[in-house]
Amino acid sequence: MHFEEFARAQLPDLVRFAAVLTGDRELAQDVVQDALVRAHQLWRRVAAADRPDLYLRKMVVNGYLSWRRRWYQRSVQTAPDVTKFGEAAVPDHADRIADADRLARLLTGLSRAQRAAIVLRFYEDLDDGEIAEVLGCAVGTVRSHISRGLGVLRVQIADGKRVAC
């Protein structure tokens, strides 16, 4: 498979994945673009991987995890408005928009590693081994990130319910 075909096939899903991961569509596009540029430069290595799609997702996650280290991106503020990432063919309902907004706000309360692990698990539907491969860590670390992240989310949700009453 040629890089152009691979990139064209992966691009929509990668941008959607990165948008949920970052909470900002513009930053997501930048992270994906950087990952695709690096993938093009390393195409032989990427193509030789058992799962080139996971290799590329790992590049996107690494780009997201390190984006704050780059001086030219320090001024980028993530916007937790994931409602604009929805599919145009499906009509948005007020409850769905409110839920998506609340989920985006809840995810911003997690560490970047916890957020990445949770998005890979529940949005990308990857198993622990695949997430560990993408994040470049042990399976136990993935489980720890997910467990702690879900714990934080539970506390945030419980605090939100108490405030709403």
Side-chain angles (χ1 to χ4, degrees):
M1 176 184 292
H2 295 286
F3 173 77
E4 292 79 13
E5 295 170 2
F6 176 76
R8 196 173 304 120
Q10 294 292 315
L11 186 62
D13 289 338
L14 275 177
V15 171
R16 202 172 306 116
F17 163 69
V20 172
L21 185 65
T22 64
D24 182 324
R25 188 161 183 83
E26 287 76 25
L27 177 59
Q29 291 171 343
D30 289 345
V31 169
V32 169
Q33 181 178 351
D34 289 346
L36 287 173
V37 167
R38 286 191 320 277
H40 184 262
Q41 293 167 344
L42 304 170
W43 179 239
R44 287 185 184 185
R45 185 184 307 168
V46 174
D50 291 336
R51 296 273 310 269
D53 59 320
L54 287 183
Y55 194 101
L56 191 56
R57 275 177 173 56
K58 180 176 183 172
M59 294 173 87
V60 168
V61 168
N62 287 341
Y64 165 68
L65 293 176
S66 67
W67 73 271
R68 290 186 183 185
R69 292 182 219 150
R70 298 184 196 149
W71 67 269
Y72 60 87
Q73 290 182 335
R74 287 182 194 235
S75 64
V76 174
Q77 298 293 322
T78 59
D81 181 15
V82 296
T83 58
K84 60 185 174 183
F85 308 145
E87 299 174 85
V90 179
D92 287 336
H93 301 286
D95 289 341
R96 184 173 176 202
I97 292 170
D99 288 345
D101 184 52
R102 184 167 186 223
L103 176 60
R105 278 185 277 136
L106 289 171
L107 288 174
T108 60
L110 302 177
S111 74
R112 291 180 298 180
Q114 290 171 346
R115 183 176 182 165
I118 286 175
V119 169
L120 287 166
R121 164 63 56 75
F122 297 105
Y123 183 77
E124 290 292 310
D125 199 29
L126 299 182
D127 64 31
D128 291 342
E130 293 169 326
I131 296 169
E133 185 178 333
V134 170
L135 295 179
C137 62
V139 171
T141 304
V142 168
R143 291 180 184 146
S144 175
H145 286 320
I146 291 172
S147 175
R148 289 180 180 163
L150 290 174
V152 169
L153 291 174
R154 284 185 199 101
V155 169
Q156 289 177 341
I157 289 169
D159 287 347
K161 286 182 181 176
R162 280 188 227 126
V163 170
C165 294

